[in-house]
Every structure is written in structure tokens, then in C-alpha cells.
Amino acid sequence: MSKAGAFRALHHGRPPGDPLILPGPWDAASARALVAAGFPALATPSAGVAASLGYADGETPAAEMFAAVARITRAVDVPVSADVEDGYGLAPKELVERLLEAGAVGCNLEDSAGGVLKDPHEHAEWLAGVRSAAGDRLFLNARVDTFARGVADPDRAIERAALYVAAGADCVYPIEAPTAVLPLLRSGVEGPLNMYARPDGASPAPAELGELGATRITFGPGLLRLALRSVQEVLA
């Protein structure tokens, strides 16, 4: 089985309370540490990689982001999915080629740019192009940014999720969705559901999110921030 196939399989057949936990490395060293801790796959956070390269979130040049992903994938043997924000304006074929060249088996693709939600139908059409170019070589995690952009109605997130799943998305990620609406999202979204958690204990534990319907858990740049906090404590 290919790495992409193995990564896809990790998302299916999971019992409630046992979501796939994908910690986010920001460089090769952190990736190796996470694999040594026993995690079967990793998912890079764009904000964490940006910070490691000296950029604010959302300001990393595409070439530097793909190069950083490539350094991470070369450093470990497990599947690595890459957060490539909104695709950097690349056409689907080029985006897929660059992800595969970097060694990624999946990607996060968000449906907003510059703080503004994209037209969901146009975004779904673009996702369909990515799916067509990728075939089964990439696992597509479609991020839904409604909650992050101030649209609190879960029905709007579910509507977007349905369009993206129909376009070929393998998983849906309603980032910043409140825990209280997770059961509603679970009932309205087909297929795997990604939820964000904080590794510092400020959000429900992954097992609890799994019981409520989450298929997989990611932490964004949370692990990097914890690491930096530890360094600051040592320096103090």
C-alpha cells in the first residue's frame, strides 16, 4: 500500500473516542521527535512552519513552504500531510505536482483568503480540479472557515462541507467550530471530520472530541507554542 493509501486508511473504521491524532511538526527535528513518540502520521501547520521560517501566519512564500514540507518528509518515514493554506493561487495541476514533489500524501486547503470567505461553489469547482489532478495520490482535507470568519450558523458550514465532499474532498475541517456544535456537524457532514484541539488542556481532550464525532484531531501551531513556552521557562 502506498503512503497515501495508508494515510487514507487511518481515517476509516475508527471507533468513537479513538480519533486519529495528527500532531504538527514545524521542522525536521520536531517531526523526528513526534515519530519517535509513536505517532503514525503527521500534519504540518502552516502557522507553525511560518513561525519557524520567520514569517507571520499566511505570509510564507509558496516556494519556502513547499521546501519546508520537503525537509520534513525527508526526515521521517511516516505519511505527512501539508497545510498549504488556500493553495497560493496555483492551478490544481501545479499545486498537486508541487505537493507530490515535496513528498506530501495529503493537504489542507482552506476556503478563505485575506480573511474573506471564498464563494463556496467556485471553491468546490477548484477542489474538484485538485481531486482530478491528484487522483488517489493525495488525501484532501477541505477546511471550512465559516466559524473563523464570524459566521456562527453551523448550517452554513454544513452546506459548504457538502459541496466540498461532492467535489472529492476526503475530509472536512470546520476550524474553530465550538465543541457544542460538533454533534450537529457530525450528523450533517459525510465522511471524516477534522477538529482542532489545544495541546495545553484548554480544549476538550481528543478522546472526548472523538466521542462527539471527530474523526481526527489536529493542533495547528499549538505544539510549537508549547515548545517555545518551555524554552522561555528554561531561559528565565
Side-chain angles (χ1 to χ4, degrees), residues 51-236:
S52 75
L53 297 174
Y55 294 101
D57 186 22
E59 296 183 4
T60 309
E64 292 197 46
M65 182 62 76
F66 287 114
V69 171
R71 287 192 292 272
I72 290 170
T73 63
R74 285 197 302 266
V76 296
D77 292 329
V78 302
V80 178
S81 181
D83 184 343
V84 288
E85 304 181 69
D86 69 340
Y88 306 113
L90 299 174
K93 185 175 184 295
E94 183 179 359
L95 175 62
V96 168
E97 289 174 350
R98 296 184 73 171
L99 283 163
L100 294 174
E101 287 172 0
V105 301
C107 60
N108 272 21
L109 294 168
E110 52 200 62
D111 67 348
S112 67
V116 178
L117 288 166
K118 295 182 178 182
D119 178 272
H121 296 278
E122 292 178 1
H123 186 64
E125 184 177 354
W126 181 76
L127 284 176
V130 176
R131 173 84 284 156
S132 177
D136 62 359
R137 297 176 295 172
L138 290 174
F139 184 95
L140 304 185
N141 188 32
R143 207 178 87 173
V144 177
D145 288 0
T146 51
F147 296 102
R149 304 306 174 207
V151 181
D153 184 353
D155 287 338
R156 302 291 80 76
I158 291 171
E159 289 169 359
R160 286 175 174 258
L163 289 171
Y164 304 160
V165 170
D170 296 288
C171 185
V172 174
Y173 179 18
I175 191 169
E176 296 187 23
T179 304
V181 304
L182 177 50
L184 180 60
L185 293 173
R186 176 66 285 168
S187 66
V189 174
E190 181 181 348
L193 183 64
N194 189 155
M195 288 292 286
Y196 168 81
R198 290 182 55 173
D200 59 3
S203 64
E208 181 180 346
L209 293 173
E211 291 284 358
L212 292 171
T215 308
R216 84 180 206 177
I217 307 297
T218 51
F219 303 98
L223 290 174
L224 170 61
R225 291 170 180 166
L226 278 181
L228 292 175
R229 189 182 308 168
S230 296
V231 171
Q232 291 167 348
E233 291 171 356
V234 170
L235 295 175

